[in-house]
Short mmCIF file of all heavy atoms in Angstrom, two decimals:
data_model
loop_
_atom_site.label_atom_id
_atom_site.label_comp_id
_atom_site.label_asym_id
_atom_site.label_seq_id
_atom_site.Cartn_x
_atom_site.Cartn_y
_atom_site.Cartn_z
N GLY A 173 99.58 103.56 115.31
CA GLY A 173 100.73 102.82 114.80
C GLY A 173 100.97 103.05 113.32
O GLY A 173 101.78 102.37 112.70
N TRP A 174 100.29 104.04 112.74
CA TRP A 174 100.40 104.31 111.30
C TRP A 174 101.84 104.52 110.85
O TRP A 174 102.21 104.15 109.76
CB TRP A 174 99.53 105.52 110.90
CG TRP A 174 99.96 106.81 111.53
CD1 TRP A 174 99.53 107.32 112.71
CD2 TRP A 174 100.92 107.74 111.02
NE1 TRP A 174 100.15 108.52 112.98
CE2 TRP A 174 101.01 108.80 111.96
CE3 TRP A 174 101.71 107.79 109.88
CZ2 TRP A 174 101.86 109.89 111.78
CZ3 TRP A 174 102.55 108.87 109.70
CH2 TRP A 174 102.63 109.90 110.64
N ASN A 175 102.65 105.12 111.70
CA ASN A 175 104.02 105.45 111.32
C ASN A 175 104.94 104.22 111.23
O ASN A 175 106.02 104.30 110.66
CB ASN A 175 104.59 106.48 112.29
CG ASN A 175 105.73 107.25 111.70
OD1 ASN A 175 105.76 107.53 110.51
ND2 ASN A 175 106.69 107.59 112.54
N ASP A 176 104.49 103.08 111.78
CA ASP A 176 105.31 101.87 111.71
C ASP A 176 105.63 101.49 110.27
O ASP A 176 106.75 101.05 109.98
CB ASP A 176 104.59 100.70 112.40
CG ASP A 176 104.43 100.90 113.90
OD1 ASP A 176 105.08 101.80 114.45
OD2 ASP A 176 103.62 100.16 114.50
N PHE A 177 104.67 101.65 109.38
CA PHE A 177 104.91 101.32 107.98
C PHE A 177 106.05 102.16 107.42
O PHE A 177 106.93 101.65 106.72
CB PHE A 177 103.63 101.55 107.15
CG PHE A 177 103.80 101.13 105.71
CD1 PHE A 177 103.52 99.83 105.32
CD2 PHE A 177 104.23 102.03 104.75
CE1 PHE A 177 103.69 99.43 103.99
CE2 PHE A 177 104.39 101.64 103.42
CZ PHE A 177 104.13 100.34 103.06
N LEU A 178 106.06 103.44 107.75
CA LEU A 178 107.12 104.33 107.23
C LEU A 178 108.48 104.02 107.84
O LEU A 178 109.50 104.27 107.21
CB LEU A 178 106.74 105.78 107.47
CG LEU A 178 105.53 106.27 106.67
CD1 LEU A 178 105.13 107.67 107.12
CD2 LEU A 178 105.84 106.24 105.19
N GLN A 179 108.48 103.48 109.04
CA GLN A 179 109.75 103.08 109.65
C GLN A 179 110.34 101.88 108.89
O GLN A 179 111.55 101.79 108.72
CB GLN A 179 109.53 102.71 111.12
CG GLN A 179 109.04 103.84 111.98
CD GLN A 179 110.03 104.99 112.06
OE1 GLN A 179 111.24 104.77 112.11
NE2 GLN A 179 109.52 106.21 112.07
N GLN A 180 109.48 100.98 108.45
CA GLN A 180 109.94 99.78 107.76
C GLN A 180 110.12 99.98 106.26
O GLN A 180 110.90 99.26 105.62
CB GLN A 180 108.94 98.64 108.00
CG GLN A 180 108.85 98.24 109.44
CD GLN A 180 107.72 97.24 109.69
OE1 GLN A 180 106.98 96.87 108.78
NE2 GLN A 180 107.59 96.81 110.93
N HIS A 181 109.37 100.94 105.69
CA HIS A 181 109.40 101.19 104.25
C HIS A 181 109.50 102.69 104.02
O HIS A 181 108.52 103.35 103.67
CB HIS A 181 108.14 100.63 103.57
CG HIS A 181 107.85 99.22 103.97
ND1 HIS A 181 108.53 98.15 103.44
CD2 HIS A 181 106.98 98.70 104.87
CE1 HIS A 181 108.09 97.04 103.99
NE2 HIS A 181 107.15 97.35 104.86
N PRO A 182 110.68 103.25 104.22
CA PRO A 182 110.84 104.72 104.19
C PRO A 182 110.43 105.33 102.85
O PRO A 182 110.69 104.78 101.79
CB PRO A 182 112.32 104.92 104.45
CG PRO A 182 112.81 103.65 105.06
CD PRO A 182 111.93 102.57 104.52
N ALA A 183 109.80 106.48 102.97
CA ALA A 183 109.44 107.29 101.82
C ALA A 183 109.88 108.71 102.10
O ALA A 183 109.85 109.16 103.25
CB ALA A 183 107.93 107.23 101.57
N LEU A 184 110.30 109.42 101.07
CA LEU A 184 110.66 110.83 101.23
C LEU A 184 109.56 111.73 100.69
O LEU A 184 109.55 112.93 100.96
CB LEU A 184 111.96 111.13 100.50
CG LEU A 184 113.18 110.37 101.01
CD1 LEU A 184 114.41 110.76 100.20
CD2 LEU A 184 113.41 110.62 102.48
N CYS A 185 108.64 111.14 99.93
CA CYS A 185 107.53 111.88 99.33
C CYS A 185 106.28 111.01 99.45
O CYS A 185 106.35 109.80 99.21
CB CYS A 185 107.85 112.19 97.87
SG CYS A 185 106.52 112.97 96.95
N ILE A 186 105.17 111.63 99.83
CA ILE A 186 103.89 110.91 99.93
C ILE A 186 102.85 111.67 99.13
O ILE A 186 102.70 112.89 99.29
CB ILE A 186 103.44 110.74 101.39
CG1 ILE A 186 104.49 109.96 102.19
CG2 ILE A 186 102.08 110.05 101.46
CD1 ILE A 186 104.16 109.80 103.67
N VAL A 187 102.14 110.96 98.26
CA VAL A 187 101.07 111.53 97.44
C VAL A 187 99.77 110.88 97.88
O VAL A 187 99.63 109.66 97.80
CB VAL A 187 101.31 111.28 95.94
CG1 VAL A 187 100.22 111.93 95.10
CG2 VAL A 187 102.69 111.75 95.51
N LEU A 188 98.82 111.70 98.35
CA LEU A 188 97.57 111.17 98.89
C LEU A 188 96.35 111.83 98.27
O LEU A 188 96.41 113.01 97.90
CB LEU A 188 97.52 111.42 100.40
CG LEU A 188 98.56 110.71 101.25
CD1 LEU A 188 98.56 111.26 102.66
CD2 LEU A 188 98.29 109.22 101.25
N PRO A 189 95.24 111.10 98.23
CA PRO A 189 94.00 111.74 97.83
C PRO A 189 93.66 112.86 98.81
O PRO A 189 93.90 112.73 100.02
CB PRO A 189 92.96 110.62 97.92
CG PRO A 189 93.75 109.36 97.84
CD PRO A 189 95.07 109.67 98.48
N LYS A 190 93.15 113.94 98.30
CA LYS A 190 92.87 115.12 99.12
C LYS A 190 92.02 114.79 100.35
O LYS A 190 92.21 115.38 101.41
CB LYS A 190 92.19 116.18 98.27
CG LYS A 190 92.09 117.51 98.95
CD LYS A 190 91.86 118.61 97.96
CE LYS A 190 91.91 119.93 98.66
NZ LYS A 190 93.15 120.64 98.47
N GLN A 191 91.09 113.85 100.24
CA GLN A 191 90.19 113.52 101.34
C GLN A 191 90.71 112.40 102.24
O GLN A 191 90.00 111.95 103.14
CB GLN A 191 88.81 113.13 100.77
CG GLN A 191 88.19 114.19 99.90
CD GLN A 191 88.05 115.54 100.60
OE1 GLN A 191 87.74 115.62 101.79
NE2 GLN A 191 88.32 116.61 99.87
N SER A 192 91.93 111.96 102.05
CA SER A 192 92.48 110.87 102.86
C SER A 192 92.64 111.30 104.32
O SER A 192 93.11 112.40 104.60
CB SER A 192 93.85 110.47 102.29
OG SER A 192 94.52 109.61 103.18
N PRO A 193 92.28 110.41 105.27
CA PRO A 193 92.49 110.75 106.68
C PRO A 193 93.97 110.97 107.00
O PRO A 193 94.30 111.72 107.91
CB PRO A 193 91.93 109.54 107.44
CG PRO A 193 91.59 108.51 106.44
CD PRO A 193 91.66 109.12 105.08
N LEU A 194 94.85 110.36 106.23
CA LEU A 194 96.28 110.53 106.47
C LEU A 194 96.75 111.95 106.15
O LEU A 194 97.73 112.42 106.71
CB LEU A 194 97.07 109.50 105.68
CG LEU A 194 98.55 109.35 105.99
CD1 LEU A 194 98.80 109.08 107.48
CD2 LEU A 194 99.16 108.25 105.14
N VAL A 195 96.04 112.67 105.30
CA VAL A 195 96.40 114.06 104.99
C VAL A 195 96.37 114.90 106.27
O VAL A 195 97.30 115.66 106.55
CB VAL A 195 95.46 114.67 103.92
CG1 VAL A 195 95.62 116.18 103.83
CG2 VAL A 195 95.73 114.03 102.57
N THR A 196 95.34 114.75 107.07
CA THR A 196 95.23 115.50 108.32
C THR A 196 96.36 115.15 109.27
O THR A 196 96.99 116.02 109.87
CB THR A 196 93.87 115.23 109.00
OG1 THR A 196 92.83 115.58 108.08
CG2 THR A 196 93.71 116.02 110.28
N VAL A 197 96.65 113.86 109.40
CA VAL A 197 97.71 113.40 110.30
C VAL A 197 99.07 113.94 109.86
O VAL A 197 99.84 114.46 110.68
CB VAL A 197 97.72 111.86 110.38
CG1 VAL A 197 98.93 111.35 111.14
CG2 VAL A 197 96.43 111.35 111.02
N LEU A 198 99.37 113.86 108.57
CA LEU A 198 100.67 114.34 108.09
C LEU A 198 100.78 115.86 108.18
O LEU A 198 101.87 116.38 108.45
CB LEU A 198 100.92 113.87 106.65
CG LEU A 198 101.11 112.37 106.44
CD1 LEU A 198 101.40 112.08 104.98
CD2 LEU A 198 102.21 111.81 107.32
N THR A 199 99.68 116.55 107.96
CA THR A 199 99.70 118.02 108.08
C THR A 199 100.08 118.44 109.49
O THR A 199 100.76 119.45 109.69
CB THR A 199 98.33 118.60 107.67
OG1 THR A 199 98.06 118.24 106.31
CG2 THR A 199 98.30 120.11 107.80
N GLU A 200 99.65 117.67 110.48
CA GLU A 200 99.93 117.98 111.88
C GLU A 200 101.27 117.41 112.36
O GLU A 200 101.74 117.74 113.44
CB GLU A 200 98.80 117.47 112.76
CG GLU A 200 97.48 118.16 112.47
CD GLU A 200 96.30 117.54 113.19
OE1 GLU A 200 96.50 116.55 113.93
OE2 GLU A 200 95.19 118.05 113.01
N SER A 201 101.89 116.57 111.56
CA SER A 201 103.15 115.93 111.94
C SER A 201 104.32 116.88 111.75
O SER A 201 104.43 117.56 110.73
CB SER A 201 103.38 114.68 111.09
OG SER A 201 104.68 114.17 111.30
N PRO A 202 105.24 116.91 112.71
CA PRO A 202 106.44 117.74 112.54
C PRO A 202 107.41 117.17 111.50
O PRO A 202 108.32 117.86 111.05
CB PRO A 202 107.08 117.73 113.93
CG PRO A 202 106.60 116.47 114.57
CD PRO A 202 105.22 116.23 114.01
N ASP A 203 107.20 115.92 111.09
CA ASP A 203 108.12 115.25 110.15
C ASP A 203 107.78 115.48 108.68
O ASP A 203 108.59 115.20 107.81
CB ASP A 203 108.14 113.75 110.40
CG ASP A 203 108.67 113.41 111.78
OD1 ASP A 203 109.44 114.20 112.34
OD2 ASP A 203 108.28 112.35 112.31
#
């Protein structure tokens, strides 16, 4: 359900720590 936050609070740019688990998820995301 991680994407729910982005649906409610849209961002066009995301800056993450290199070791963040979200980096892997976003790298694999088509969006």
Side-chain angles (χ1 to χ4, degrees):
W174 64 269
N175 202 34
D176 294 346
F177 184 89
L178 293 173
Q179 298 297 323
Q180 296 172 358
H181 311 282
L184 298 180
C185 175
I186 300 177
V187 182
L188 295 169
K190 190 161 186 102
Q191 303 304 321
S192 169
L194 191 55
V195 167
T196 303
V197 172
L198 293 182
T199 299
E200 296 172 0
S201 170
D203 297 334

